[in-house]
Each structure stands twice: as structure tokens, then as C-alpha cells.
Amino acid sequence: MSSQLTIKTNKIDAFNWYQKVVVTITNTGIQAADLNRAILSFSASGHPDPWGVFDGSLIGNQPLTLNNTPQGVSEDNEIIINNSTPLMLKPGASGKISFSLAASSVPLLFDNLTLRLANEADSSPIPPVDEPEPVIPAPEEEPAPEPEEIPETPVEPLDPVTPIEPVTGSGISLSHSSVNSNSWYQRLTFTLTNGYNQPVDINKLAIHFTASARPDIYSPFTGSLAGNQAPTFTSDGGWPIQKNSIVINNNGPLWLAAGASGTLECALAATQTPVKLADISATLASDPGSQGTLAVSFPALSATAGLLPTFTLTRPDGSQKSYTGAWGETQIIDGLSRGEYRLNVDTLENATLKLTPKQAQTTITLASSNDRQQCQIDWLPAVYYADVELTLAVAPDLEGGCVQVELRQHDAVVRTVTLTFGATTTVNKLVAGERYDIALIPTTINNVQIVSPLFGANFIAGQNQRAAQTVHFQQQQVNTANFVEVQATILGLPSGTPGQRYRFTTASGSIQYIVMLSSDTAKQKLPLRFASGQYSVPAMKISQSGAIYQSAFPTTLTLAQSKNVITLPFEKGVHLQVRGWPAYLAHGGVTVNASSSVAAYAGVPVDALFKYDGFDGGGDPIPAAEVDANGDGFLDLNLLPIHKTMDVARKIEKEAGRPVMPVMVVYTANASGGSALPDLQDIQKLRNHFGNFITQCVAAQSYKDADHPVPATFVMNPDFLGAMQQAPYGYTAVRAKNSMQVNQQLAEAVNALAGQLHYSVPVLPRFSDDLYGYLQAINYVKHQFAPDVPFGWQTNVWATGSADWLLRDNADPSAQAQQIVAFIDELGVYKGNFVPDFIVFDKFERDCFSPDALAHYGWNATCWFNYLNMVKGTASGLNKPAMIWQIPGGHMPTREEGTSLITSSHFASGGTFLMGDARIGSSISAITPALTTLALNRNTYGAATVGEFLLKDNGYDWGQMQAKNLPEYNIFSVLWGGGSTVSLTTIGSNGDDGGWLAEKMREYTASPRFFI
């Protein structure tokens, strides 16, 4: 079959560093040729850019395989075509494959273009035809290229020598050649100079820099610093500026003589112009100027309540690093240069005791680069804590009112606590064995003044494990002769709503009124006369007749003799109860369709499990033969993943004795890996998508029974709405009238499947043949074929352009929500006769401090609140509850925990923020330095490290379980994790947190947050 095919390319520009190459393959024979797994080979002084654009009818539906072997100046390249099915080229037909060719030198050499089919591994490759062998164009019309610079001869390796004493000099310095800011591809030379008075070993030297570019790892690294092994390259993937690192590798020491310089040359590929390098630095694996050590010793304390000694070391250059020691041991810190070091010792504290260092800061000086110093850290005797439960003496007429109480020692206020009549308040961390005097701040409640008793009161903390103390008071009636008679009108509550208690309070809280008012719209006189002034009424939420009503009270109510009529309005809020889901904030996790999931979820309370309901990750528009046995273009009903997911969910449900909702993630248009236009414009794919979704709906609906009246839930089309909003112009074509065959392809799918799925063909509504009609048609299919399955469309935190808005100090989540609502409303997704049940938001399916997410998605508490407020505003604007999905479940480990439960590749703030960690509380120093010292891109985060970024929360208490507040943000469920992200339990590919999140889930389930 080789003789059937011919290959040729477009004209190659020998003096172009970066150009598009188009290879045309023509079948001149009488039989079709299968190009799946075909190998396109060529030699060139360059290679296909793996980050460039690959296009053409022959690229296949799976990623191409790129192989590259350097051969001196030239490189041997292979492009292997991959398709999930045979990729046939008909007789007489031509197909193309194009790629971006990045040159490593010019003039560009390009020859030996051949094609070998997979079924002809032993045959001769197909050479190019009808094209002369490419030659370098004559130079007379263009300036002759300058001769290539001959790489400088590597310095002869020096024998390792005993370091010269003492080490002197300026250390190593790094510079680079000039950069063409407008060039997308150029050569870059780094020059390292050894300013020491002795040789340095540059094996494992790390070069760091930031740029809107990266080294091309497929282009040769040359120069005297290149080593005899390939350098290691890493990038944080930032956009447009990324942090790059190059580590030199040699199979032994690679010496650079004192005073000498060496070079490393590489190709620099831009991701955006103009190109500019910054933050350039070099770090030796063993720096002769940094051979000093510091030995820090800790006393052998026994009563520490699990606390470990911690301190921060500030180096002469101002950089800092935190350390955790062990009692009775000495910690050695090496790799130190000469200079002055500042050691700041942390005060240690938990709910049991407090340890304060005798000297909080110590200065140590290393006189030379190999000096050795010792430091002994000592602590003062431990201060033990106790708790007390404070309760105001019973006063039914004052129930609901609040009084501030001061706890004093030696006439100084040490704690101020707010106590509520009818409730008990626990006060923590009082010093055990010490006496506290109680003083009430005078407060007027319902025209009764509350003050301290005449002879005062006191208690001694710690006499019992948790002492209980009743706080007594004096009360005196206030003269109300000149007070205001107030009339109020309650608006917005439905008929039959019972009366409610309202609390009016001044800004200082010194005057309060708690009154019961009926819920009808009639004007009513308040039972008490009010002192003139300005009052506020706390927000309220009332459930009535299956709906939620939220208060919309004025911020301030002004009462005076001339202004004594007030209105307290309510608005109908988002109803959080989704059919089939619990009446409390639900939690779910990712699953795989295997018995291992049943075992993994044993003992882990879970309300839902989610799984992708397909095979290729994009809706299977052209199903593989293995899942489309009859070749009708639709997924086979009996092979759908939902059947196994149902089996797993029902088994977990049975063992746990609690309902488990299967959540299937469905694609009818795939924008997760690029544009979804082919799914909308290709009539075959459009038909197949409709048919696949009909089949999925029929399968889900079939699991309805007496115990499961709502058999499953659908999450629709991840990234589709978000991608369209992010790049709306890419979908302009399908917004036009008659730009899609919505009605015809829907009808074809419905009619084709009626027999095998055993349904009567319904009378189909008429939709517009465009994007708007398509969205309504998808909603219709769900309502027609799975009427008992709730569903929601997914959108993204980056839908308005980028997710970086959450990181900004001036972030406006309300404005972001308004943009998202306006876009979805314009599309009409949540309008019409077939509206969805909820809206779905993801975050980014990676644990946020992992290498894959750290460039843009490492969130602090402020970011999380921005996210939640965006979700709240969007749900409110659509009047639909929200599911937050694929939420990274990794947590922030403490110093003591380290990486004993979770690896650094799964560090995240999501688990800690939503589920709380009292071990951290407001103390960022309690978090392991392995996380807090992680470097960040200051341009993106406004901080240099994770620790610095967390400090921007201004003392946020990470001990709070924010999951219990999620209904306030219109959220009805949280689905944790993903295929690569920590969930409630591990599925093998998504990491393991040692059971941390599962334990938090058990804690939450013991007292879940109900909607009402």
C-alpha cells in the first residue's frame, strides 16, 4: 500500500526561526489507507513545537505522539498519528497535518521526510514526491547569515581540591545575553562567573528566572555549563509571566575555576510578547561561601500538651525560614554564609497551656563562611488554661437580649464576653487558679437597665474541669415618659406565617428591644415605647409553605416623635431544597465503578457520589466500536457507566443505612479541551450527542423505585458555559439564525432510538436552529426522558475572563456574579418550559497549593469568601440553589503533622477552610513551613510566599467550619475532589490525606447544617 500514498510539504523558509509546516498526504491508489498509528518522520535543525498549534484532517482525535532525538546540529523527529478508530484516507483523496516548526539554528535544514503506515512496519518508508529535495536558498537576495558562534571550549575539569581557608570573594554572579523583546523564538546565553578565590562545583546548579517565555526543552543546551546529561527544566505554568528553573546535570563534579566564567546557551520560546527576563538568580548545590552551621538546642520539657518548639531564622540577606524542633534535642542548620542571623522564637499555645520563651529574639553572628555557632533556647514555666461556662440569671422578659460582661484582674479588663439571656457561653483560655472579677457593662433591654450587683461577683478558674458560673445583676425600670410609640408594618411574608421575634439594637448595643410581631401586612403598634435614636434589626430567614423568605431590612431605622412608623420587608429567597437531596447541606465525593469504592467509603458518611457518564471524556460524539456494537452512532444502553455507578451507590447506601445520590456528569458539548463548535456544527456529532443523552436519560430514569423516587442527578456540560462567556466571539457563528440543525438532528435521534429504548415518539417542540434553541433542546431531552432526575448546568470561576480576580485586594464578587447571570440569562438556559433545578460551580480540579494549581489557584480565606459570594450572587440572580463541585479536599497540615497524612503535592486550603482546623486557628505559624515557605509569583498574588499570602487574611480563624455557613451562600451541596484531587476517600489516582477529610465529615454529620 506504500505505493498508493504520496507526501509533500509547503515551501520551507530556511531563514525563519518559527514557521508553519503543512504536510499533504494523497492516496493515489484504488484502496483506502488507514493512517491511524502512521509515523511521519523527518530530519531538521529544529522540531515541532509541542505547545504550538497542530491542525488538519489527519491529526486524529487523540493527542499526537512526538519523538525527538538530537543528532548534533540536526534532530530526528517523529510524529505519530493517534485515533480511537481507523483513520481512513479514501482513494483519490488528500489529507493534511500541520504543525509549528521551531528552529534550533538557521539556515534551517529540513529533509528525509517519510511516512510509514502502522501495518507496514517492515516496509520501506514512503518518501516525498513531486518535490525536489529542500535546499538552502541562494544568499544573493538576502544578507548572508552570520557564522554560528562556536561554543567556547569547556574548561578542563579540575581535580577536587581542599577548600582554601578562608573563603573570600564576591560569590557567584549570573548574567544573560540581550533579549529581543519582539521575538517569539531566540537563542539565550547565561553567563556564570565565579567570584570566589577557589573553584566551585556547578553540578546541580539551579538557574531561576521569570519571563513571558520558557526554555525550549527540545532544543539543544550548549556551552561549558551544559554538563554531560540533559538539564532538568521546571516551570510554574504562570500566565503571562512564568517562573522557570534550569538545573545543570553532570555525572560527576563540574568545576569552574576561581575567577572564571562559563556559559549555558538554550532556545527561548515566548508565550507572549514583549519578552522580558527578570528575577534572575543562580544557586549552587554546594556553595563554598555557605558552609557555616548553627546548632539550636531545646530543653527536655515534658509538660508540653503536644506543642513543639518553633522558630524563624532571618538570614543576612533578609530571607526567612521557619523550623520545628524537638524537646531535648539539638537542631543543626547548615549551608550558612558569614553574617548576622536573627532567631525569633515563637510563643507556643493551645487550649491547654502556653509556653513563652525567655528570650523571644536572639542574634548570632557567623564570623566566616565555615563558622560554627550554638544557641540554647529556654522557656518560662508553662501557664495552664481553664474554661468557664457563664450564664445570666434567669429573666424571661429579657430573653434574647445581650449584655457585655468584662472579666477583670487587678482592675484591668482581660476579657470582654457577650452573654445572651437564655443561653450559656463558654469562655476559653483563662489562667487556671486565678481569680476573675465580673463587671456588667450597663445595658437597657426592653426599658429595663441591667447593671452589676452592688457587691460584685467573682470566680476562680480551674477549680473544676469546666466551672459553671451564674452571672447575677441588678435591674431598674427606665422612665419612658418621653419615649416614642412605634408602629410597624411587616411586608412580603405569605398568609399563615406565625409571628416572629424581632431584635432592635443601637449601634453600641447599650439599648435593645426584643418584641413579638404578627406576620400580616396590617400596621401594628409595638408593645413597648422606644427611646429616640437609630436602630438596626439583625437579618432574618423564615421558612414558610416550602419557601425561604429573607429579610430586606433597612440598614438603619431612625425613630423620633415625628418619625415613628417603620416597615420591615421580606423577600422570597432561593429555595435550597432540591428534590431527592437531604434537607441539610449535603456532601459528596468522587467514585470509580469498582468494588474498591464500596470498601473505601465504608465508615465515611456520604450523601452523594459523582462519576462521568461516558467513555472518552467528551460525550462520545463518535463512539468507539466497543461501546457502539450496532454502529448506529449512539452509546449502547447496557454499557453506560451509570449502571455500575448505581451498583456502587446502592451498596454503599445499604451498608451505611443512609441515602446516597448518584450524580452523573454528562457532556453534550465538550469545551473542556478546546472549542465545542465541532459538537454543535458537525451534524453527525450533533445527532449522536442528542442520542447519547437520550440514552443516558432513559438509563437514569429506569432506576426509579419506591425507595428512590429521585433515582439520580445530572451535572451538565462542564466548562461549556464558562468557555463561551470567556471567549464569546468564538461562538458567534452558532448564534445566528439557522446556523445549526437542532430540530432535524434531534428528531433523527429521537426516532432512531424509539425502538431499542422502548418509548413512543413524542411530539417534539419546535426550537430555533441555533445555539439558543440547542440549549432549550438539551433541557427538553432531560425533562422528556428523565423527568425525575434533577439537573444543573455548570459554569466556572474563570468565566468572566480569568480566575485571578479572586486574588485581588479590590475583588468584587457581586460584579462577577452579575456578569455571569447576565450571560446565562442572554442564552436563556434557565428560562422557558424546561428549566434546570440548580446551578453548578467548580473551582479548579487540583489541590490548590499543588504544582499544577499554584500558578493561579492557591487561595487564602479571602479568596474563598470571594468565591462563595460570587456563587451566592449567581444563585440569587438565577433564583436557583447552587452545587459546588470538584472542590479540592486537601488541607493545610500543621507543623506537627508535616507530611505524615498528606503529601506536598496535595496541600490545599479548601478542606481547612470549609471543615475547619482548630490546630491552626488564627496562627499561620502553626502551619508546616513546607507549605508556608512555598514561593509564589508576586505579580499574581501580591505576596512572595504562601505564608505571606495567608497573612493577608488579617487574622482569619481557620478553626471555623465554614461548611455550616454555606446555605447562607445559597449552596445546597458540596461535591469533593476529582480524578486528581483529594476527596472524601481515595480512588487511587487522586491522592490520600490519611483520612483527615473523612474524619471531618464524621464530625459534620453528627450535627449537620439544616436549611431550616
Side-chain angles (χ1 to χ4, degrees):
M1 192 179 295
S2 296
S3 59
Q4 293 184 193
L5 302 179
T6 62
I7 56 174
K8 62 180 181 179
T9 71
N10 59 326
K11 185 178 180 180
I12 305 296
D13 184 352
F15 293 99
N16 193 335
W17 284 95
Y18 201 80
Q19 60 188 295
K20 182 177 182 179
V21 175
V22 180
V23 179
T24 302
I25 303 174
T26 302
N27 186 354
T28 60
I30 61 173
Q31 295 181 350
D34 182 6
L35 293 178
N36 186 25
R37 302 299 297 168
I39 302 173
L40 185 68
S41 305
F42 63 91
S43 298
S45 56
H47 53 270
D49 181 2
W51 289 281
V53 176
F54 293 85
D55 202 0
S57 59
L58 299 179
I59 62 170
N61 59 14
Q62 296 180 354
L64 297 165
T65 301
L66 303 181
N67 296 324
N68 172 270
T69 305
Q71 300 289 347
V73 175
S74 184
E75 304 174 40
D76 290 343
N77 298 281
E78 288 185 348
I79 300 176
I80 303 176
I81 299 171
N82 298 309
N83 205 62
S84 59
T85 58
L87 186 61
M88 307 305 295
L89 186 63
K90 297 179 180 179
S94 295
K96 295 181 179 181
I97 180 170
S98 65
F99 56 88
S100 299
L101 183 66
S104 55
S105 65
V106 293
L108 173 69
L109 303 177
F110 187 96
D111 54 17
N112 298 328
L113 178 66
T114 61
L115 178 70
R116 186 188 302 273
L117 300 181
N119 60 357
E120 297 182 332
D122 298 327
S123 303
S124 299
I126 303 163
V129 298
D130 298 329
E131 290 286 333
E133 183 175 340
V135 296
I136 299 173
E140 44 270 24
E141 296 183 4
E142 297 185 34
E146 295 183 7
E148 284 195 51
E149 180 180 344
I150 301 174
E152 57 185 88
T153 304
V155 177
E156 287 294 323
L158 299 177
D159 292 328
V161 295
T162 302
I164 302 170
E165 298 287 353
V167 177
T168 60
S170 57
I172 60 170
S173 60
L174 182 68
S175 61
H176 65 84
S177 58
S178 61
V179 174
N180 183 345
S181 61
N182 296 316
S183 175
W184 287 91
Y185 201 82
Q186 57 189 297
R187 300 296 291 180
L188 178 68
T189 301
F190 292 101
T191 301
L192 183 78
T193 300
N194 178 11
Y196 285 123
N197 62 339
Q198 67 175 51
V200 294
D201 180 9
I202 60 171
N203 187 23
K204 303 302 180 184
L205 171 80
I207 295 174
H208 310 283
F209 65 95
T210 60
S212 58
R214 60 179 178 271
D216 181 357
I217 60 174
Y218 295 97
S219 182
F221 286 75
T222 59
S224 58
L225 302 181
N228 56 19
Q229 298 179 2
T232 302
F233 166 71
T234 58
S235 168
D236 71 347
W239 179 268
I241 304 298
Q242 56 185 296
K243 299 172 69 174
N244 301 287
S245 296
I246 303 170
V247 177
I248 293 172
N249 296 314
N250 204 62
N251 62 3
L254 186 61
W255 296 96
L256 183 64
S261 296
T263 60
L264 178 69
E265 184 179 352
C266 65
L268 190 68
T271 54
Q272 182 172 308
T273 60
V275 180
K276 183 179 179 181
L277 267 65
D279 304 321
I280 303 170
S281 64
T283 305
L284 292 170
S286 180
D287 192 331
S290 300
Q291 300 297 317
T293 60
L294 175 61
V296 182
S297 299
F298 309 100
L301 300 184
S302 56
T304 60
L307 295 170
L308 293 175
T310 60
F311 63 91
T312 300
L313 187 68
T314 303
R315 296 172 181 254
D317 62 1
S319 63
Q320 294 182 326
K321 184 175 181 180
S322 298
Y323 296 88
T324 300
W327 300 113
E329 296 184 6
T330 297
Q331 185 159 0
I332 304 296
I333 305 172
D334 54 19
L336 304 180
S337 61
R338 65 188 181 92
E340 187 175 274
Y341 292 79
R342 189 171 66 252
L343 193 148
N344 290 85
V345 185
D346 297 327
T347 296
L348 309 176
E349 185 177 21
N350 59 18
T352 303
L353 55 77
K354 177 180 180 179
L355 288 168
T356 303
K358 287 184 177 180
Q359 190 171 341
Q361 186 178 104
T362 301
T363 299
I364 302 103
T365 299
L366 298 185
S368 65
S369 62
N370 61 355
D371 193 7
R372 290 169 172 76
Q373 294 292 330
Q374 294 183 338
C375 178
Q376 175 70 39
I377 299 178
D378 292 307
W379 272 263
L380 297 171
V383 174
Y384 288 88
Y385 289 138
D387 300 339
V388 64
E389 293 180 343
L390 299 181
T391 306
L392 287 165
V394 176
D397 293 341
L398 304 179
E399 187 169 336
C402 299
V403 178
Q404 285 194 314
V405 173
E406 294 177 341
L407 303 183
R408 299 180 175 184
Q409 288 184 310
H410 312 294
D411 293 328
V413 177
V414 295
R415 194 81 62 88
T416 300
V417 182
T418 299
L419 303 183
T420 301
F421 281 98
T424 297
T425 300
T426 300
V427 184
N428 307 110
K429 291 186 176 181
L430 298 176
V431 179
E434 294 197 2
R435 168 177 156 166
Y436 291 86
D437 297 319
I438 301 175
L440 280 70
I441 296 176
T443 304
T444 299
I445 303 175
N446 289 355
N447 294 328
V448 175
Q449 187 177 44
I450 308 299
V451 297
S452 298
L454 185 61
F455 299 104
N458 59 70
F459 64 91
I460 296 177
Q463 289 182 323
N464 300 303
Q465 186 172 6
R466 175 170 287 183
Q469 178 72 32
T470 299
V471 178
H472 297 279
F473 53 87
Q474 294 186 87
Q475 52 182 318
Q476 181 178 351
Q477 198 71 33
V478 174
N479 185 353
T480 62
N482 296 320
F483 283 17
V484 180
E485 289 188 351
V486 181
Q487 292 183 312
T489 301
I490 309 299
L491 298 177
L493 294 176
S495 177
T497 302
Q500 304 292 320
R501 175 182 288 173
Y502 297 80
R503 180 170 176 261
F504 297 77
T505 179
T506 57
S508 66
S510 60
I511 300 177
Q512 304 168 32
Y513 294 93
I514 298 92
V515 297
M516 287 290 296
L517 299 176
S518 63
S519 297
D520 55 44
T521 57
K523 188 179 292 184
Q524 50 192 307
K525 178 181 176 181
L526 271 61
L528 297 167
R529 296 168 68 92
F530 279 47
S532 299
Q534 291 186 326
Y535 294 84
S536 63
V537 181
M540 300 173 63
K541 184 179 290 187
I542 299 171
S543 175
Q544 182 68 21
S545 304
I548 300 295
Y549 294 84
Q550 296 175 320
S551 59
F553 301 153
T555 304
T556 303
L557 296 168
T558 301
L559 296 177
Q561 293 292 350
S562 60
K563 190 174 183 180
N564 62 348
V565 178
I566 61 174
T567 300
L568 298 174
F570 286 83
E571 296 176 346
K572 191 174 182 179
V574 175
H575 185 53
L576 298 182
Q577 182 66 66
V578 175
R579 51 190 172 137
W581 288 74
Y584 55 81
L585 179 83
H587 292 265
V590 68
T591 186
V592 290
N593 288 337
S595 58
S596 59
S597 279
V598 180
Y601 276 99
V604 180
V606 62
D607 301 301
L609 296 174
F610 73 91
K611 177 75 175 67
Y612 289 92
D613 198 18
F615 299 95
D616 72 353
D620 302 277
I622 307 295
E626 295 81 1
V627 292
D628 179 19
N630 62 3
D632 62 359
F634 306 126
L635 294 173
D636 292 339
L637 175 68
N638 63 317
L639 296 179
L640 289 177
I642 189 173
H643 302 299
K644 293 183 179 178
T645 305
M646 281 288 181
D647 181 61
V648 169
R650 296 292 185 258
K651 287 177 178 176
I652 293 174
E653 180 179 271
K654 182 178 180 180
E655 290 190 9
R658 55 185 293 140
V660 176
M661 172 64 73
V663 179
M664 306 309 297
V665 181
V666 176
Y667 281 95
T668 67
N670 180 21
S672 295
S675 173
L677 280 177
D679 290 321
L680 307 178
Q681 294 178 314
D682 185 307
I683 59 175
Q684 181 68 30
K685 291 183 177 180
L686 183 60
R687 166 192 176 272
N688 293 358
H689 273 307
F690 277 133
N692 287 344
F693 188 35
I694 291 169
T695 308
Q696 290 165 324
C697 287
V698 170
Q701 184 69 21
S702 71
Y703 284 93
K704 177 182 177 180
D705 57 31
D707 294 326
H708 305 95
V710 178
T713 297
F714 285 160
V715 168
M716 298 299 301
N717 290 319
D719 301 331
F720 181 47
L721 295 181
M724 283 198 293
Q725 183 173 0
Q726 188 183 52
Y729 298 109
Y731 292 84
T732 301
V734 291
R735 289 176 181 267
K737 290 184 179 180
N738 300 317
S739 57
M740 295 176 59
Q741 291 190 10
V742 175
N743 293 284
Q744 181 178 339
Q745 299 310 318
L746 173 61
E748 288 194 15
V750 170
N751 290 320
L753 287 167
Q756 58 183 292
L757 298 183
H758 309 294
Y759 60 76
S760 299
V761 175
V763 177
L764 298 176
R766 184 71 185 175
F767 303 103
S768 59
D769 279 319
D770 51 27
L771 175 63
Y772 306 95
Y774 165 79
L775 296 169
Q776 290 297 318
I778 294 297
N779 287 354
Y780 162 76
V781 169
K782 205 295 307 173
H783 279 263
Q784 175 65 35
F785 295 99
D788 295 302
V789 174
F791 76 119
W793 288 72
Q794 186 265 1
T795 191
N796 304 85
V797 66
W798 42 259
T800 56
S802 165
D804 283 357
W805 68 268
L806 291 107
L807 308 175
R808 306 289 176 253
D809 293 336
N810 61 349
D812 187 350
S814 177
Q816 298 289 324
Q818 291 172 17
Q819 293 180 57
I820 295 172
V821 170
F823 181 80
I824 294 176
D825 278 348
E826 189 271 333
L827 291 176
V829 186
Y830 282 76
K831 297 178 180 178
N833 297 323
F834 317 109
V835 295
D837 299 89
F838 54 90
I839 182 72
V840 183
F841 268 98
D842 74 345
K843 178 189 179 292
F844 176 70
E845 199 264 301
R846 292 294 186 275
D847 290 298
C848 76
F849 296 127
S850 69
D852 291 338
L854 193 59
H856 297 278
Y857 290 92
W859 289 1
N860 60 10
T862 304
C863 295
W864 278 104
F865 282 120
N866 288 337
Y867 171 73
L868 294 180
N869 279 301
M870 176 199 63
V871 173
K872 177 181 181 179
T874 303
S876 178
L878 298 173
N879 197 27
K880 293 293 178 183
M883 169 191 289
I884 56 175
W885 169 68
Q886 289 196 145
I887 299 302
H891 66 275
M892 300 189 298
T894 62
R895 290 174 176 268
E896 293 78 13
E897 178 188 329
T899 55
S900 61
L901 296 179
I902 190 169
T903 64
S904 60
S905 59
H906 289 285
F907 286 169
S909 61
T912 308
F913 177 80
L914 291 176
M915 303 311 296
D917 193 337
R919 302 175 303 170
I920 296 174
S922 300
S923 178
I924 301 304
S925 63
I927 301 171
T928 177
L931 172 55
T932 56
T933 58
L934 279 178
L936 297 177
N937 187 329
R938 186 177 287 278
N939 293 331
T940 302
Y941 286 92
T945 65
V946 169
E948 183 182 342
F949 188 56
L950 294 175
L951 288 173
K952 295 179 72 174
D953 289 327
N954 297 319
Y956 172 76
D957 181 4
W958 289 89
Q960 303 173 77
M961 185 182 284
Q962 290 294 345
K964 292 201 171 185
N965 297 324
L966 291 184
E968 307 302 328
Y969 297 94
N970 297 328
I971 295 170
F972 77 94
S973 64
V974 185
L975 268 57
W976 293 90
S980 302
T981 308
V982 169
S983 183
L984 302 182
T985 186
T986 183
I987 59 173
S989 64
N990 64 337
D992 192 350
D993 67 350
W996 186 92
L997 188 56
E999 182 58 36
K1000 288 291 181 179
M1001 209 52 55
R1002 285 186 278 269
E1003 177 185 342
Y1004 169 82
T1005 305
S1007 179
R1009 167 62 194 276
F1010 285 88
F1011 301 142
I1012 300 171

